[in-house]
Structure formats: C-alpha cells, structure tokens
Amino acid sequence: MNLLTKKSGLLFLLAALVIFSCKKEPSRIGNSLQPPDIQTDLSFTDSLKAQTSTVLVNDSIVTSRIVTLNILSNSVLTNVYGLVGQSKDPVFGRITSKTFGQLKYNIKGSFSFGDNPVLDSAVFTLLPAGYYGDTLPANQVDQSISVYQLTGSLDTGIVYKATSPEIPYDVSKKLATFNFPANQTVPASISVKLTNEDFAKGIIANGITSDSALLVYCKGVALVAENKDAVVRRFYLFSGSGMKIYYHNDKTYSSVTLNLSYNNPKFYTIEADRSGTPLAGLGNQSYGTEITGNLSYVQAGTGVMTKLSFPGLENFLKEMKDGEQIIINKAEIVIKADQNYKFGYPVNRINLYQTGENGKMLKINNASAAVQANGYYLFGTENPSTANYDYTNNLYKFSIGSYLQAVADKKIVLRPFLVGATETILKYSDYSVENGPLNFYSLDRSVLKNDTSVEADRIKLNIYYTIVK
C-alpha cells in the first residue's frame, strides 16, 4: 500500500494514457510504459449479468408544501404545478389525478369594496402547462375539467402526498367548467365565466375582504376532470390562476383576484388502476410485490421503479489475490429502453437510488439517497449520478466509477439499486428537507429491457479497471 501511495500519480497518469479495447479479453496496451517496480493488469469486462424487478415506491411523492429555489432569479417558488385528468396507459394503467387548493386574495391584509358595490362579472382562469397521455393526435378525445367548492379543509400542518386521501368536495357547487376540444392547440391561459355568479355576489354582499373571512366562506376548490379516459393535464398554479371578480361601486370600476398561488395550501393526488396491464400485481401499496421478467418499468409521479442488482459484482470487486488492489478507471451502466409502446414519453432523467438493509429506499434527512456523480461522496441527495434519455439510441447511461471504487475499498456495502425518475430536492421554510415530485411533476414512463439471452437487450455494466500487484 505504501508503494501504491508513492506511485499513485504515475499510476493514474498511466491509466489516462491507456486506450482500452472493447473486446472480452483484457487489454494490455500501455503495459510497456509502466514503472518497473509496479505490476499492473489492465482490463475490461462487461460480462456481469444484471437482475431486475419492478417495485412500487409510492410513499414518498410529496405534492404539497413544495418549495423550490429558482437559482437564476434567487426566488422561491411554492407548489407551482397541479395535475388534473384521467388517462389510460396500455402498460401503466389508468391514471387519475385531482388538485386541491385554497384561494387567497392577491392583496396583503384586507381591503374595501367601497360604497354600494355591484358585481359586473367573474371568471376563473387556469394556465395550462402540457399534458401526459396518448401522444397520437388521432387517439385524443375531448375533455372537461370542473372547479368545485371543498366541503373539507386542507390542514396547513400536513405534508400531503400523491397517495393522500382526497379532500371532500360538493359536486352540486360547481364554480366553473373548462372544455378542451381534442386536437386543438391549448392556449397559455384559459378563462371561463363562473357557472353560477351567486358565489361572487356572496363575496361582495358579505364584505369578505380578508383571507381569513374568505376561508370561512369557501374552504377551497377541487379541480376534477370528468370520468373519461383522455389525458392528465398539468397547470401552473401561481399568479394569474384562480378567480377574478370585476365590480364597481359609487366611485370606480375595480377588480380583485383570488389566487391559487404563493404559499396557499394545495396538493394533487395520483391514483393508478393497473388491472389488466403487465403491472397489475403492483397494486397500490408502497413497496408492492415485485414483478420480474425481461422487462422492467419506471414511471415518474407514481413511484413505479426498477430494482437493479448485479449478483456477481461484489465478489468481482473484492476477491483479489494477496497484495493486489483493483483500481476502477471507469464504470458505466447501460440500460436499453423498449419503445414498442408509443404511448406517452420516456422519463427524460433517471437516478440510481440507494437501498438500505431492509431493501427499501435509503433516506438521508427525509430525502432519498442516490448514488452520487463521480468525484462526490458515495451516496447522498444533492449530486446524483443522473442518466438522461438518449433519444437516438433509446438508452440510459450511468457513470458509477467512484461508487464501485468505494465498494472495492470496503467503504460501503453493495446493495441493490432502485432506478427511478429524478427527484426534486425540496427545502421548507422550517429548514426541513423532503424529496419532491418525481421528475418535476411528470407522469413520463419508460420500459427497460434486460433479456440476458439477447446481447443487445441486456443491461450492461462496463468496467474498465487496473489490477495493481
């Protein structure tokens, strides 16, 4: 080990000069350049077989109290999206999503409607931000989304998740309905008149001019799509989304806005019905029964993940002869995706999450621990090794050289990985930390291949390494 320490600079310089062959046989190119007092064995392997299964990890998808930092403007955004709608995926099942939130005035404190105020009109506005579902225009259908008054209350002390129970709402108290015709471009902002203006008239007639009084008058709203397979729509929930009341009094014409933005309590739910699909066995429980096979699955937002392990890896890294040490020059996991299903879009960013002794996702300060990028600590929450989807070759590629070196050096115990959509790390005003909606409020989904009998369709772990003797 002393010799290795003294010669480490030369060794890594040598490793940088070596051009590794992609053949199964070890490459020896560069051996003649090594110092005479160090013996090395320069090699490459991709023969380790992977095992995969599909699991459900849906107990950590936070959809409320969300605070993300906008680094460019140094501003904080809270709960900037909501998901609403229903979509039936042939592989991942029927997904239904609803959004619940409180309305607050766009004015701090209270104000006055003035003398003899009269309602002129009232509109509800939503800000569309994309959708998830069938990508073929010919398969898309008309869809309606309605706004109902809540009969139950949101609890400001609760961290709501995608699997949290719905807040009760009254279908007889409909405030507005938005219609989305199929195959038509959706504008950035949609406003519709209230279905019944009595709601807005009551606000003026009762002099409701503060958030506390408004909360007594209306506990909040639910955004609900009709029970029809269409798409799950995403909406911005900040300034501009909500209700605007136009009125006049004895002196002037004015307006006031009841927003769904800022620090309003709000969240969205995601319910999955996987019956009749390859994922029917997952059910709706966290860490559901594992589903194995040549295909495995990942979906943002629902907690569907792939459990990935390499049964022979630990022995490969640790079973050195006396006096030998393995140096990992480079290591990458390559995962091919199955694009036979054109429904929806593939997850554009995935991470390798760390599991604990119980086989479940490891948490650090309530956030999910991920294998870190090369050069960072072994596993953590802030610098994950991320694989972006390669649309040309239909694959994901992780770089995990530092992580495997730590396993080889016995700094950590090798455990199965969880392959899942990238999480947003959230920091709350009370300085607590949570993991956020998977892949930033998305329902993107990927089908991963691992047929070990077909070379092109198996997950590969490519390791370029040096044996120091």
Side-chain angles (χ1 to χ4, degrees), residues 209-284:
T209 59
S210 67
D211 287 335
S212 57
L214 178 62
L215 186 58
V216 173
Y217 182 75
C218 176
K219 298 178 185 295
V221 295
L223 306 181
V224 182
E226 60 188 321
N227 184 23
K228 180 170 65 174
D229 292 330
V231 296
V232 175
R233 297 188 181 274
R234 187 172 73 172
F235 297 99
Y236 292 113
L237 299 180
F238 50 66
S239 297
S241 62
M243 184 186 303
K244 193 165 188 175
I245 298 174
Y246 297 89
Y247 67 96
H248 69 272
N249 53 37
D250 289 345
K251 295 181 179 180
T252 185
Y253 286 85
S254 302
S255 65
V256 65
T257 302
L258 287 63
N259 281 323
L260 274 168
S261 62
Y262 302 111
N263 292 318
N264 303 30
K266 54 186 175 290
F267 75 105
Y268 60 86
T269 59
I270 297 176
E271 181 181 355
D273 178 2
R274 302 181 181 89
S275 56
T277 73
L279 299 177
L282 283 180
N284 269 311

Side-chain angles (χ1 to χ4, degrees), residues 384-402:
S385 175
T386 298
N388 294 302
Y389 186 69
D390 181 341
Y391 283 86
T392 301
N393 299 301
N394 295 330
L395 58 79
Y396 298 95
K397 186 181 293 185
F398 289 101
S399 180
I400 61 166
S402 297

Side-chain angles (χ1 to χ4, degrees), residues 370-385:
V371 175
Q372 299 292 277
N374 283 328
Y376 292 95
Y377 194 67
L378 314 179
F379 56 84
T381 61
E382 295 187 358
N383 300 287
S385 175

